[in-house]
Amino acid sequence: MKLFDGGRAPNPRRVRVFLAEKGMKVPLVPVDMGAMGHRADEIRVRNPLQRLPVLELDDGTILTESVAICRYFEELQPQPPLFGQGALGKAQVEMWQRRMELELMMRVAHAFRHIHPAMKEWEVPQVPEWGEANKPKVVDFLRFLDGELAGREFIAGDAYSIADITGLIAVDFMKPARIQVPDECANVRRWHEAVSARPSAAA
């Protein structure tokens, strides 16, 4: 088994943080995304979409998409449970994971990819207006999230989950996207400081 990893890019980092929370070690194959390594033949033959991470199993089976890879490891090692427990717990984590991905992480990504000059070769065509349009949507969602976090420690409830991992990486990704957490979002700031302090956040 080996994991083709893209360094500090959000989705590769999401899998590394997940593995760190599980205490699992998987051999990494570093890929330099800055040098367009994800478009090299080594990746293209494994994932024609030319995206990372890519997990190659011992029998040659390929898994792509970061959450799908995380689900695979969750089944291999259920403890600690990062996709929730029981019917309701799993549904709540799924609900919040989807919200964090679609309403936060993807909107931050749109802002970054459509505005940052370094993304000009990645996002063709770049549409700066679309990037700018996503910035206030990120801020609106963070204000909504702040109200939710007033009553609980973690995104999906009382336990750390994949939703917190996605949220952590999305908020960290806001820095290169040049979006700031609103000053009044004290609960988001408290949550972000807490999840950033976990050893897994450095993975």
Side-chain angles (χ1 to χ4, degrees), residues 60-72:
T61 300
I62 298 295
L63 283 175
T64 66
E65 306 303 333
S66 56
V67 176
I69 292 170
C70 290
R71 284 189 180 276
Y72 175 75

Side-chain angles (χ1 to χ4, degrees), residues 7-8 12-21 198-203:
R8 300 302 291 176
R13 185 184 172 208
R14 182 154 49 164
V15 174
R16 293 198 312 275
V17 172
F18 189 92
L19 289 169
E21 284 287 334
R198 297 172 77 93
S200 63

